Amino acid sequence: MHYSFTIIIPVYNEAENLLRVEEAILDYLKIASAKTSILFVNDGSTDQSFQLIKDICIRNDVFNFISLKKNRGLSAALKAGFDAVESDLIGYVDSDLQTSPKDFNLLLEHIDDYQLITGVRVHRKDSFTKNMSSKIANFIRRAFTKDGMDDTGCPLKIIHTDYAKRIPMFKGLHRFLPAMILLQEGRIKQVPVQHFPRVAGKTKFGLRNRIFGPLTDCFAYLWMKRKYINYHIDKRS
């Protein structure tokens, strides 16, 4: 069966959330505005996540998975998903369900005119420290990338697959997806989406990798921007 839209769900030790993820995705599929499949990317989980993923995929034909041998981080999990997807569009949502899959329909409304649509989390339900560190990190990234995005860390995005596959991923680059689409001369847009508190599991990002890691990654991005190869084929035989 041909799907036009594949939602990637990276998973690292989220066993407490996965049954909720299954329920939320199945609810979304009832109203999805595109023919949609689901791809779990198990990022070397050490809890019961992988077994739960396999069980979910057995129960539901629309769910599939790939599993990384070792934990390699969010950027690696997304890269593995980008490489595996064959549909025209790729979506991404975190398995903590702090954003709603139903909001993919809001993003899909604009995808014909843009190469990447990202959510902007309004009325965020995180702690003061997490909110402030995210604001600082976004300010730093925006100053370096000039991408105009207010919330590049929002885990709800849709990208045209051909653009996603051309992103030269490195560790930490998940924070720069809009900027990497701009390097390909693509168009990007942000759309307000819902945000919810985390009700189970533990966050994988702290103050150190929310601010200091992205700061050093900004210099890597600037190097890549100077060296990035971009071309368009004019004619072929």
Side-chain angles (χ1 to χ4, degrees):
M1 182 180 295
H2 176 74
Y3 296 96
S4 59
F5 180 39
T6 302
I7 297 174
I8 295 172
I9 307 178
V11 177
Y12 177 60
N13 290 352
E14 292 285 0
E16 297 173 63
N17 282 312
L18 286 173
L19 295 181
R20 295 175 55 242
V21 170
E22 178 185 21
E23 181 180 1
I25 291 294
L26 290 175
D27 284 345
Y28 170 65
L29 292 177
K30 296 173 184 177
I31 62 168
S33 56
K35 190 69 174 177
T36 305
S37 66
I38 313 300
L39 179 65
F40 283 115
V41 180
N42 176 46
D43 185 20
S45 295
T46 56
D47 63 359
Q48 295 300 309
S49 292
F50 186 36
Q51 183 59 53
L52 286 167
I53 287 171
K54 290 187 288 186
D55 293 343
I56 291 170
C57 292
I58 290 172
R59 287 194 294 268
N60 305 279
D61 291 341
V62 74
F63 286 79
N64 298 283
F65 72 83
I66 56 177
S67 185
L68 305 189
K69 190 173 183 179
K70 295 181 179 179
N71 173 243
R72 296 299 186 186
L74 180 54
S75 293
L78 288 176
K79 170 63 172 169
F82 291 171
D83 289 345
V85 166
E86 297 180 356
S87 58
D88 295 332
L89 299 173
I90 293 175
Y92 153 49
V93 65
D94 272 353
S95 50
D96 59 16
L97 288 182
Q98 288 196 255
T99 50
S100 171
K102 292 181 178 179
D103 283 343
F104 274 123
N105 280 359
L106 299 177
L107 277 59
L108 284 167
E109 291 178 10
H110 307 278
I111 199 61
D112 289 343
D113 299 316
Y114 297 88
Q115 282 66 54
L116 176 145
I117 310 290
T118 183
V120 179
R121 293 166 287 188
V122 295
H123 310 301
R124 288 188 63 172
K125 307 300 183 182
D126 291 322
S127 67
F128 174 80
T129 300
K130 187 174 181 179
N131 282 335
M132 286 305 299
S133 62
S134 291
K135 287 182 179 180
I136 294 169
N138 276 304
F139 174 80
I140 294 170
R141 282 192 292 270
R142 196 161 52 243
F144 276 81
T145 64
K146 313 296 183 185
D147 62 10
M149 297 289 102
D150 297 316
D151 187 13
T152 59
C154 178
L156 197 76
K157 291 179 173 62
I158 299 178
I159 313 173
H160 282 261
T161 301
D162 54 342
Y163 280 76
K165 287 181 179 293
R166 291 197 296 266
I167 295 174
M169 296 289 282
F170 60 80
K171 188 174 182 180
L173 198 66
H174 63 273
R175 306 179 181 98
F176 294 83
L177 292 178
M180 296 308 299
I181 299 302
L182 289 179
L183 285 188
Q184 299 181 49
E185 300 178 0
R187 301 182 67 206
I188 62 177
K189 183 179 178 66
Q190 53 188 3
V191 174
V193 298
Q194 303 173 87
H195 190 246
F196 306 93
R198 178 185 267 273
V199 300
K202 296 180 180 179
T203 182
K204 309 305 185 293
F205 295 96
L207 185 64
R208 180 177 179 275
N209 56 17
R210 192 174 287 118
I211 294 182
F212 301 111
L215 178 59
T216 57
D217 291 342
C218 284
F219 292 99
Y221 167 78
L222 289 181
W223 177 88
M224 184 177 295
K225 184 177 180 180
R226 289 194 300 270
K227 303 291 186 177
Y228 189 76
I229 296 173
N230 197 21
Y231 66 90
H232 300 280
I233 295 174
D234 182 36
K235 298 177 183 178
R236 68 168 70 235
S237 61

